[in-house]
């Protein structure tokens, strides 16, 4: 998985205000523990629901495609919500936003639990709940970048990186045991614990409003409409969904061409490096949660392993991802940016082909693939984002990374959508190259190969774009490569 300091929050790398802009309180760090606690808690809840699709589908008799909506829509809401809340935080106090977020988390959770046998109401509850989670996930990083000194920012943003991997692991283990021994619907009661943070929020988080900024509502609506309809198309392959996609693209281009104070302006699209890396990001990150989403379906069907034990199989992968992420800087000192990213992408492709081609009566290939898969994404994040914003000026880097992170979240949702559809279709396209023991469903191997081909496409696009950009750098007299974390 990616490191969190820029993987889900559009404000993560926004230019920080000087410490003098800190709210009127003796020590702005007083609010950090409660903000970090809500940040981690929200990530745990979000990861738990992302992993619980199979028990929901089994209990309610839903197809994989249908149940994936509670994950794909949540991803889009978190991506768009990061941009929305980052903008609102400039004109509305963080205390008010956090209190509203907790209210949404609790309201959505209560709806989901009360109507746990009604899929439409469960989905409604998840949308409301996720709208609150998106705020809690975003505001920690915004607060740290706005109100703490440069030295403290580095420390506390480092906490967010570790917290992301820990939260993913805790969330998956939690949903595994609750779903197996109690009921998946009880997961809707866990977020109600966020109410316990209200007294600390009122006491420590400043009720401090900065100068207002304009929220590009129209641009956000267009991006949300574009992402949602692409996702729905990939779930149903209904070409009517492409009509609003084309309209949204046309309107978005007109909007950013003829208006100021937009979410992202045309200048970003004039940067060939940034645009090229956004395309690579969209392709590669569509694979990331696609595999995590399909993992419990495959392992359960192939090996009959209970859901709680399936969650345990992911532990080595997340543990290795933490280690690789921590060592990515050291690796970047020995390899060029291009070599580091290429190595990471090769690992991702290989991790998908290992269990696809070598399905055995043992679950070991799947455990190994999760280790390699997580390590590949942990290694790739820092050098890839550094490459994307290499030519972006510091004053525009916040917006650039915000849109970069929005692209990641949209890609994740799209990837889950097409993977869920593939699981329902049970393809046999690669039956000739996969090896499955008698009695094992080969369609899972076929889906893994297709997802691996998508990852391979991302690698090819990156290598071609990298070669063209390197040629342009040489012609302009710019350095061709930098260390992985230098950007």
């Amino acid at each position: 998985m990616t490191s969190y300091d820029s993987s889900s929050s559009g404000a993560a790398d926004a230019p920080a205000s000087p410490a003098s802009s800190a709210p009127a309180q003796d020590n702005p760090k007083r609010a950090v523990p409660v903000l970090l606690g809500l940040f981690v808690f929200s990530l745990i809840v979000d990861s738990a629901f992302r992993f619980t699709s199979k028990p929901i589908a089994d209990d309610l008799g839903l197809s994989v495609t249908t149940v994936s909506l509670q994950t794909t829509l949540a991803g889009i809401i978190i991506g768009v919500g990061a941009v929305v809340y980052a903008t609102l935080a400039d004109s509305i106090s963080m205390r008010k936003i956090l209190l509203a977020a907790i209210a949404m988390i609790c309201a959505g959770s209560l709806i989901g639990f009360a109507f746990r046998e009604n899929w439409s109401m469960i989905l409604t509850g998840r949308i409301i709940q996720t709208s609150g989670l998106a705020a809690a996930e975003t505001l920690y990083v915004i607060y740290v970048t706005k109100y703490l000194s440069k030295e403290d920012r580095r420390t506390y943003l480092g906490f967010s990186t570790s917290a992301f991997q820990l939260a993913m692991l805790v969330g998956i283990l939690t949903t595994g045991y609750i779903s197996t021994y109690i009921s998946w619907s009880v997961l809707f009661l866990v977020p109600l614990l966020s109410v316990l943070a209200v007294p600390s929020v009122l006491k420590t988080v400043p009720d401090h409003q900065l100068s207002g900024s304009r929220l590009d509502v129209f641009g956000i609506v267009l991006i949300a409409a574009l992402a949602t309809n692409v996702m729905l198309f990939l779930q149903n392959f209904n070409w009517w969904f492409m009509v609003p996609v084309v309209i949204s693209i046309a309107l978005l281009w007109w909007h950013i061409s003829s208006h100021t104070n937009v979410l992202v302006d045309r200048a970003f699209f004039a940067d060939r490096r940034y645009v090229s890396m956004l395309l690579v990001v969209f392709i590669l990150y569509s694979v990331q949660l696609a595999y995590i989403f399909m993992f419990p379906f495959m392992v359960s069907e192939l090996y009959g392993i209970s859901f709680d034990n399936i969650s345990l199989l992911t532990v080595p992968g997340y543990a290795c991802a933490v280690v690789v992420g921590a060592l990515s800087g050291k690796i970047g000192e020995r390899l060029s940016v291009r070599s580091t990213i290429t190595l990471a992408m090769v690992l991702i492709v290989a991790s998908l082909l290992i269990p696809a081609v070598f399905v055995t009566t043992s679950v070991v290939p799947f455990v190994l693939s999760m280790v390699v898969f997580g390590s590949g994404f942990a290694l790739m994040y820092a050098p890839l984002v550094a490459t994307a914003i290499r030519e972006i000026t510091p004053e525009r880097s916040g917006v650039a990374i915000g849109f970069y992170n929005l692209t990641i979240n949209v890609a994740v949702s799209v990837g889950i959508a097409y993977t869920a559809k593939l699981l329902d279709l049970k393809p046999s396209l690669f039956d000739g190259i996969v090896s499955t023991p008698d009695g094992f469903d080969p369609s899972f191997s076929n889906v893994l190969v297709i997802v691996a081909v998508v990852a391979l496409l991302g690698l090819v696009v990156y290598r071609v774009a990298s070669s063209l950009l390197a040629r342009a750098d040489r012609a302009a007299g710019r350095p061709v490569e930098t260390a992985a974390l230098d950007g």
Side-chain angles (χ1 to χ4, degrees):
M1 304 300 291
T2 69
S3 57
Y4 192 80
D5 46 334
S6 290
S7 67
S8 297
S9 171
D13 293 271
S17 302
S20 59
S21 67
Q25 61 185 61
D26 294 335
N27 183 5
K29 288 194 285 187
R30 289 178 60 216
V32 170
V34 66
L35 289 168
L36 180 60
L38 283 170
F39 171 84
V40 173
F41 182 73
S42 297
L43 286 172
I44 290 173
V45 171
D46 186 42
S47 62
F49 275 98
R50 287 178 186 268
F51 200 68
T52 197
S53 293
K54 188 181 189 307
I56 295 176
D58 291 344
D59 194 24
L60 299 181
L62 303 174
S63 69
V64 181
T65 299
T66 300
V67 78
S68 69
L69 282 171
Q70 67 96 10
T71 299
T72 54
L73 289 177
I76 291 174
I77 290 170
I78 288 177
V80 174
V83 179
V84 172
Y85 290 120
T87 306
L88 289 178
D90 284 338
S91 55
I92 302 175
S93 77
M94 290 192 185
R95 181 191 296 177
K96 289 185 175 68
I97 297 176
L98 268 179
L99 292 175
I102 292 172
M104 286 188 287
I105 291 171
C106 293
S109 299
L110 288 173
I111 290 172
F113 182 76
F115 299 96
R116 52 190 176 277
E117 296 182 0
N118 185 313
W119 171 240
S120 297
M121 293 303 294
I122 290 173
L123 198 57
T124 300
R126 279 284 287 139
I127 290 172
I128 296 172
Q129 178 199 74
T130 305
S131 298
L133 295 174
E137 291 181 19
T138 301
L139 291 180
Y140 168 74
V141 188
I142 295 175
Y143 184 87
V144 169
T145 56
K146 282 184 180 294
Y147 296 128
L148 301 189
S149 66
K150 185 175 182 179
E151 292 73 19
D152 287 334
R153 285 200 304 271
R154 190 175 298 115
T155 299
Y156 289 109
L157 287 178
F159 288 167
S160 71
T161 304
S162 301
F164 176 76
Q165 299 293 348
L166 176 63
M168 290 294 294
L169 179 57
V170 172
I172 288 176
L173 291 177
T174 298
T175 192
Y177 279 89
I178 289 179
S179 298
T180 301
Y181 297 108
I182 308 176
S183 169
W184 62 266
S185 61
V186 174
L187 287 172
F188 274 115
L189 298 180
V190 175
L192 300 181
L193 294 173
S194 60
V195 172
L196 299 177
V198 170
S200 296
V201 169
L202 292 171
K203 184 178 180 180
T204 64
V205 178
D207 191 18
H208 177 78
Q209 296 186 194
L210 303 176
S211 57
S213 61
R214 180 178 178 271
L215 181 64
D216 182 18
V217 176
F218 188 58
I220 290 171
V221 169
L222 288 175
I223 289 176
L226 173 62
T228 301
N229 281 283
V230 168
M231 179 194 71
L232 291 173
F233 167 73
L234 290 171
Q235 283 190 315
N236 299 283
F237 292 100
N238 185 333
W239 287 97
W240 283 110
F241 285 117
M242 293 306 294
V243 174
V245 167
V246 173
I247 293 174
S248 297
I249 292 174
L251 286 175
L252 185 61
W253 187 253
W254 165 79
H255 179 60
I256 65 177
S257 300
S258 56
H259 294 80
T260 57
N261 297 319
V262 292
L263 180 64
V264 58
D265 57 39
R266 290 181 64 179
F268 283 108
F269 298 103
D271 186 330
R272 289 182 297 173
R273 188 182 309 276
Y274 183 70
V275 172
S276 299
M277 292 307 106
L278 282 185
L279 178 59
V280 173
V281 164
F282 186 83
I283 296 172
L284 259 298
Y285 278 89
S286 75
V287 170
Q288 189 187 38
L289 279 189
Y291 187 32
I292 303 300
F293 173 81
M294 67 195 293
F295 189 80
F297 288 94
M298 289 189 300
V299 175
S300 175
E301 291 291 330
L302 293 175
Y303 303 102
I305 298 176
S306 63
F307 196 63
D308 58 326
N309 288 324
I310 291 175
S311 64
L312 290 175
L313 296 179
T314 67
V315 172
Y318 282 111
C320 287
V322 172
V323 174
V324 172
L327 296 177
S328 61
K330 293 295 183 182
I331 297 173
E333 293 175 0
R334 298 181 177 275
L335 297 176
S336 66
V337 171
R338 190 180 187 188
S339 298
T340 304
I341 296 174
T342 300
L343 172 61
M345 292 182 180
V346 169
L347 289 176
I348 292 168
V349 174
S351 70
L352 294 166
L353 291 177
I354 289 171
V357 178
F358 302 105
V359 175
T360 68
T361 55
S362 168
V363 77
V364 170
F366 283 92
V367 176
L368 290 176
S369 75
M370 286 294 288
V371 169
V372 179
F373 186 79
S375 299
F377 273 100
L379 179 62
M380 181 180 69
Y381 180 80
L384 189 57
V385 71
T387 301
I389 65 170
R390 179 176 164 185
E391 305 300 326
I392 302 291
T393 58
E395 62 271 14
R396 298 168 66 85
S397 63
V399 176
I401 291 181
F403 198 76
Y404 182 97
N405 293 329
L406 176 60
T407 302
I408 288 179
N409 280 280
V410 171
V412 162
S413 294
V414 168
I416 292 174
Y418 69 65
T419 303
K421 187 63 178 180
L422 287 171
L423 289 175
D424 276 343
L425 291 175
K426 296 185 177 296
S428 58
L429 183 63
F430 297 103
D431 278 356
I433 66 171
V434 299
S435 174
T436 55
D438 292 338
F440 280 61
D441 186 351
S443 67
F444 291 111
S445 293
N446 277 269
V447 175
L448 279 172
V449 173
I450 293 172
V451 176
V453 170
V454 175
L456 182 61
L457 174 63
L459 172 59
V460 171
V461 171
Y462 170 73
R463 294 292 295 187
V464 171
S466 179
S467 296
L468 294 175
L469 291 169
R471 188 180 306 168
D473 284 340
R474 292 190 188 95
R478 294 189 296 264
V480 175
E481 294 180 329
T482 60
L485 297 179
D486 287 348

